[in-house]
Amino acid sequence: MKIILNNETDTKAFAQQLADMNLTGSVWLSGDLGAGKTTLTRYWLQAMGHIGAVKSPTYTLVEPYQIQTNTGIKPVYHADLYRLNDPEELDYIGFFEYFDEHDSLVIIEWASRAESNLPKPDYLIELTRQADDCRVLEFIKAS
């Protein structure tokens, strides 16, 4: 699926669609700096029911969320691997355990920095910023 996001309202509406899908597994977000990966994730977590701030995990690598849903608690992990020095660092922080949690969703920005060490994604979201400041978003089911 390919759509145009003309503004933040469009981004928020697409994030609601993602929340309604109740995805599990891993979603890789790709796009240049400033393409809107973190903004999309913020709206997505809020649409899932997260109350409060959504911090960029640029320096912490991972921000965990426990989101209350109609069926219980959904573990969501938002990772940003842009500042990852070595993909083997993921072993040291227990990153791969997130994938084993029941009903978990792992959203990864800059997965390309550790692509050979990560499990294959279940979904890909590619964001491309256009000259007129809108975004082209492509949502792909990877498996």
Side-chain angles (χ1 to χ4, degrees):
M1 159 191 348
K2 192 179 269 193
I3 62 171
I4 304 292
L5 303 174
N6 292 301
N7 50 43
E8 283 201 37
T9 302
D10 290 350
T11 303
K12 195 172 187 177
F14 182 73
Q16 183 62 58
Q17 290 178 353
L18 289 171
D20 292 344
M21 294 170 71
N22 192 29
L23 300 176
T24 59
S26 72
V27 179
W28 291 9
L29 300 178
S30 67
D32 292 334
L33 285 172
K37 299 177 295 294
T38 301
T39 299
L40 175 62
T41 303
R42 180 182 321 110
Y43 285 135
W44 187 0
L45 292 171
Q46 291 169 346
M48 291 173 67
H50 174 70
I51 307 291
V54 175
K55 297 183 282 183
S56 173
T58 301
Y59 293 100
T60 59
L61 291 182
V62 180
E63 286 292 332
Y65 299 91
Q66 300 294 316
I67 299 176
Q68 180 67 50
T69 67
N70 294 337
T71 59
I73 300 290
K74 181 171 188 69
V76 179
Y77 301 94
H78 177 202
D80 183 336
L81 305 184
Y82 183 75
R83 296 195 182 278
L84 189 69
N85 292 317
D86 184 333
E88 290 186 14
E89 290 176 40
L90 297 174
D91 281 327
Y92 302 127
I93 65 170
F95 186 77
F96 299 102
E97 294 173 17
Y98 303 145
F99 297 94
D100 296 332
E101 258 185 272
H102 174 72
D103 200 32
S104 70
L105 174 62
V106 183
I107 303 167
I108 307 173
E109 298 182 39
W110 297 98
S112 60
R113 308 267 303 162
E115 188 169 354
S116 61
N117 293 56
L118 293 172
K120 296 296 179 205
D122 296 290
Y123 303 91
L124 298 167
I125 297 176
E126 297 175 3
L127 285 159
T128 307
R129 186 176 183 175
Q130 304 296 297
D132 62 359
D133 212 32
C134 71
R135 274 62 171 173
V136 175
L137 181 146
E138 189 167 2
F139 178 78
I140 304 161
K141 183 167 176 38
S143 46

